[in-house]
Amino acid sequence: MSDKNNNSQELLIEGASCASCVGKIEKALNALDGVEQAQMNFALRTVSVTGNVDANTLIKTIEQIGYNAKSANETSDEELLDEKEIAEQQYYKKLMQQTWIGLGLGIPLMLYSVFGPAMTVNSMTERAVWFAIGIICFAVLYFAGKHFFVGAWKSFVNHSANMDTLIALGTGTAWLYSMVVVIAPEILPEMARHVYFEATAMIIGLINLGLALEVKARGRTSDAIKRLIGLQAKTARVIRDGKEIDIAIEQVLLNDKVRVRPGERIPVDGVVEEGATSVDESMLTGEPMPVKKVQGDEVVAGTINKSGSIIFTATRIGKDTALARIIGMVKRAQNSKPPIGRLADIISAYFVPTVMIIAIVSALIWLNFGPEPTVAFAVISATTVLIIACPCALGLATPMSVMVGVGKAAEAGVLIRNGEALQTASKITAMILDKTGTITQGSPKVTDIHLVDSSLSKDELLQLVASLEAGSEHPLAQAIVESANEKSLTLDKVEQFEAIAGHGVQGSVQGKKLLFGNQKFMVSESIALDEAVVASAQQMASEAKTPMYFAVEGKLAAIIAVADPIKEDSIAAIKRLQNNGIRVVMLTGDNKATAKAVAEKVGITEFFAEVLPEDKSSKVAELQAQGEIVGMTGDGINDAPALALANVGFAIGTGTDVAIESADITLMRGSLHGLADAIAVSKATLNNIKQNLFGAFIYNVAGVPFAAGILYPFFGLLLNPVIAGAAMAFSSLTVVSNANRLRFFKPQQH
Amino acid sequence: MLVINLIGLGLIVLIVWWFWLYKPETKALGDENDDEDIVITVENGVYQPASLSVPAGKAITLVFERKDASPCAATVQFPDLEISEELPLNKKLAINLPAMTTGKYAFHCQMQMYKGELIVK
């Protein structure tokens, strides 16, 4: 294992109160065997240790010098999630309590205002009663709305304003005005002596309710990441000193031998040492078929061992496992913002002060030009404007959808790097597919053995050819040897082996003189080829296969065709892309005949053959020059420049060995359906964002003037502040709920 | 009535000045002492301190401590640096920032209600 992959862990230190503790702790840890470096961050009270040491040893050492320590590394994801959920629960509970406090006073007052006499203050008794209610209302503001006022004040002194500012100003204005009516009614005209305690209490209650429901709804937007984190096993069974012991996952060290029994989760990444099994990797790759694993194969954390018991060597642990990196990438992407959200960002930056100004202007207009009682109308319109405006809906519109969309894609084995990739993917008009490894499986296989001489069986024949080819390094030769290995054929020794460039190979096996190569080779060696044989070879070539002739003792024995098989679902997936109006173009380094055959087979009309790897990016540029928004799909290794140049680069992998983070979008499984899925999810997410942004814009653009009373001169309509409060509370909830709809999105499979 | 109108207009001017034109004082970071990390508290709708000046061309670490349970406070983003981190409640979280060129770098919550600024000099 290289030094780079060396074990690095982080410990949380408790009881370190002074800077001098730092030196003490670092010194003690650095003195330990296996510790390469221990470094403490005093501000965080954490120490990060590199080297191959058991977390327990580190903790014990720290305890010996008088501090407490616990591992901060691996548990963090899961623990953080739990802590987050507990915190959210508590916050929800608190918000609900505040809701009931607000509504407890608000609803009776509201009913009274609707069904009872006008809430005006004329007699002394009325003043006394309303004064008492005003005090109760103040208690409501204090117990259910204190956080709005504290938040508003803190932001104010920091020269910023937020939702709290609006709520505090709105409810505060309504309450203060009502108190003035109660305490000094004489300074107001008689018609204006109306109290609005019901609005104050109702608004506080409703907004708390909206926030509470939003917390619940937001929790669901992170379902996908929760599911991924849940894939991590908590314990591992390692073999140390010949004994199998169960240990916590964070104590697994590099190169530990790990035992996994059927039905268990693979705890860390590693390479199989003993045993064979099939592993369900669907949770990471979306690939439904279990994958066979034998000695030397890689297994990855989070996948499920289905059938056999295996022992593997840990090669990546902790934050380095594929699962941890996937989680990291999804988290980052979920929090990133596509460009479409930028306008909303700019607007939100100026939103709150603007609304405050509108409230003042509205109040002034009512005071100057409004009907009697102008003061009451001015107060109501200002309050309503402040309350109805909802910067949250605007701010939440984009991030909530991205959160759900990226998570949804991850569930299908599609890792989207960031919001920008998500947005661009939704607009792709042309898709370039690399042939080898993308449309095809990327590993040539023997597809046909056409016997000419029936005295040999297919296996005998394959055994002879494979023996002959065993010494050759040609990729086609490797396909033949592999095919023989698959059938467990034992290969014989080859003598007088000779490779003739551009023709084929010859040699003798079991004393028989063998020739294997192309038609030219057979002709030059004067092997008789009848027309039917040549025709069937040509037929194979037209099927995107490479036919080769095999002669035994100067007589043609068979034609063997090798081909890189097309992935099973490539045809259907390409059709899906084309049905979505995407221009699909194939690139390959192969010769024209093979390229043409493959392209025809998968239904691609536009292809470029004999493209050198370094020319791939110029093809991308060519399409871009034609005005296309180009997606480029390759294996991410030799296509890097083309992937980088394309508007969206897709790296396609087979299983979990794909280089994560090498492209804008990574497809965890080999199927091209992932491409269509990625584009479909992007489109659905972008649509969702647009709906949210549109909704939030319209809501604010229409709501604020309505609240200011723009309809009053025409229809005599003025919005009740309580309704404004309800609208505001539920507008952000609507945005989050709409984003949550994406969770049920299913890309169509045709 | 004139007085009221003037008060209203005065308020508007004050709002514009207070929220938009006023430049908050900036806390300097990382000039002398390399290991000193500043803790930015996330509470009651604001980052404290909200404006930091940092030296150019040097990677720095910012430590955030979120004390506000509201989900709005949960994420801090540095859009220009493509950094987005979730802040655990009542815990400190260190965020490593790459070396930056001179200029202003905003950081904020998802909804831009919490706002801060790094001034790289």
Side-chain angles (χ1 to χ4, degrees), chain B residues 21-107:
Chain B
L21 303 179
Y22 181 88
K23 292 280 165 255
E25 57 184 283
T26 305
K27 185 135 190 172
L29 169 74
D31 283 334
E32 307 106 36
N33 194 342
D34 283 356
D35 296 327
E36 194 190 343
D37 294 322
I38 281 192
V39 178
I40 300 171
T41 312
V42 185
E43 198 181 10
N44 293 322
V46 286
Y47 295 122
Q48 191 94 44
S51 181
L52 294 161
S53 82
V54 298
K58 204 175 130 191
I60 55 158
T61 304
L62 292 182
V63 180
F64 282 82
E65 185 172 20
R66 170 185 165 212
K67 292 180 178 168
D68 189 335
S70 149
C72 303
T75 314
V76 62
Q77 306 183 323
F78 293 81
D80 304 322
L81 306 171
E82 289 205 348
I83 289 175
S84 170
E85 288 282 345
E86 246 180 78
L87 306 172
L89 187 59
N90 295 323
K91 267 190 181 172
K92 288 177 181 166
L93 180 85
I95 298 178
N96 297 316
L97 304 180
M100 289 168 275
T101 51
T102 6
K104 287 183 178 175
Y105 296 80
F107 58 97

Side-chain angles (χ1 to χ4, degrees), chain A residues 184 234 288 329 357 543:
Chain A
K234 291 191 179 59
M329 186 173 175
I357 292 172
E543 287 166 6

Side-chain angles (χ1 to χ4, degrees), chain A residues 151-204:
Chain A
W153 176 248
K154 292 260 179 171
S155 331
F156 178 76
V157 294
N158 272 282
H159 297 269
S160 80
N162 56 26
M163 198 186 83
D164 291 343
T165 315
L166 296 176
I167 296 165
L169 279 177
T171 54
T173 310
W175 184 81
L176 269 179
Y177 177 79
S178 306
M179 283 313 271
V180 169
V181 169
V182 173
I183 294 168
E186 57 282 357
I187 66 166
L188 295 164
E190 200 170 319
M191 275 171 80
R193 291 176 196 167
H194 193 286
V195 291
Y196 298 100
F197 293 123
E198 95 283 8
T200 313
M202 278 302 281
I203 289 166
I204 290 287

Side-chain angles (χ1 to χ4, degrees), chain A residues 355-378:
Chain A
V355 169
M356 286 158 67
I357 292 172
I358 295 175
I360 294 172
V361 170
S362 162
L364 288 180
I365 292 175
W366 279 103
L367 283 171
N368 286 300
F369 311 108
E372 287 297 331
T374 53
V375 195
F377 277 122

Side-chain angles (χ1 to χ4, degrees), chain A residues 1 252-259 268-274 297-299 310-317:
Chain A
M1 205 70 294
V252 177
L253 298 177
L254 281 181
N255 300 322
D256 262 339
K257 301 275 178 264
V258 184
R259 154 92 69 195
V268 295
D269 291 2
V271 175
V272 178
E273 290 288 317
E274 261 183 68
D297 284 343
E298 271 198 39
V299 287
I310 52 167
I311 294 176
F312 73 88
T313 305
T315 55
R316 283 189 304 239
I317 57 172

Side-chain angles (χ1 to χ4, degrees), chain A residues 166 347 351 355 358 385-395 693-707 728 731:
Chain A
L166 296 176
I347 293 175
F351 190 87
V355 169
I358 295 175
V385 166
L386 291 169
I387 294 298
I388 203 166
C390 185
C392 285
L394 212 51
L693 283 176
F694 181 77
F697 270 114
I698 290 300
Y699 168 81
N700 280 302
V701 166
V704 171
F706 186 31
M728 187 272 192
S731 63

